[in-house]
Amino acid sequence: MKVLVVDDHALIREAMRGVLHELRADAAVIEADCAAAALAAADAHPDLELVLLDVDLPDGDGLQVLDALRRTRPAAAVVMLSGLRDRGSVTRALATGAQGFIPKSEPRAVLLGALGLVLAGGVYVPTMALGPADTAPLPGAARAPATPSASGLTERQLDVLALMMRGRSNKLICRELDLAEPTVKNHVSAILRTLGVSSRTEAVVAANALGWDLSGRP
């Protein structure tokens, strides 16, 4: 597994290298300390599987680097690292295409679990970013059902939501569930209505905040 770690602090890169080697002994870790170096490394290594990317870089915005990577290296999972943990930062990262958002203050065990989830195809959202300390509640959270079984969503709609939580696009969901794209769009609309949200990103955040475990679904 080839991984790119992007952070301007050498100690953070060293810590991430240790976590990655604990997760995968065969991990080949490439390091970059700025946005320009990150993009150059991505060009030089087309077989990247994972990128750990700092939100704040000395020569640019990490979200801009994320956007570029999503276009040039769509197969690589990108996880944002940040000293921030507010819901707005998490939502912006997920909306730009990140498969996870990990506060740098998280303990090693959480880092290992989060990266393991992402490598398994999931999306990691820090629970502390969704708690009552946020300045505004998640749209629709007060009326969202407490469990998937109580939601009224069909089994197929829950399958679609499970794939959304793993970062799949509508086209990939169509392929994995053998459904027509208009059907998937209708399912997504039903999911948004049920959770009381207005976007796919908010649906994923809401489902994670409610503690819905759909990992056993396709």
Side-chain angles (χ1 to χ4, degrees), residues 156 160 179-188:
R156 185 53 86 192
V160 170
L179 296 174
E181 191 163 2
T183 301
V184 170
K185 288 181 178 179
N186 287 337
H187 287 330
V188 171

Side-chain angles (χ1 to χ4, degrees), residues 5-152:
V5 178
V6 186
D7 197 288
D8 59 326
H9 293 94
L11 289 177
I12 296 292
R13 297 198 304 272
E14 182 179 349
M16 290 299 107
R17 178 185 288 272
V19 169
L20 289 164
H21 282 153
E22 185 173 344
L23 189 67
R24 296 280 181 88
D26 64 340
V29 181
I30 302 145
E31 298 182 16
D33 61 0
C34 63
L39 295 175
D43 286 341
H45 299 277
D47 53 344
L48 284 174
E49 294 181 44
L50 177 66
V51 179
L52 304 185
L53 176 61
D54 191 7
V55 172
D56 295 311
L57 296 169
D59 61 341
D61 183 348
L63 292 181
Q64 293 177 336
V65 177
L66 168 62
D67 184 58
L69 291 173
R70 290 275 54 85
R71 287 183 278 106
T72 60
R73 293 288 176 265
V78 181
V79 175
M80 304 305 293
L81 303 173
S82 177
L84 303 173
R85 60 183 69 193
D86 61 284
R87 189 175 60 119
S89 297
V90 174
T91 301
R92 284 192 297 274
L94 294 177
T96 309
Q99 274 76 48
F101 187 103
I102 305 177
K104 294 180 182 180
S105 58
E106 293 284 25
R108 193 179 190 88
V110 173
L111 289 172
L112 286 167
L115 294 177
L117 174 64
V118 170
L119 290 173
V123 175
Y124 178 77
V125 180
T127 55
M128 63 184 64
L130 307 168
D134 288 334
T135 55
L138 188 70
R143 60 181 181 277
T147 64
S149 59
S151 68

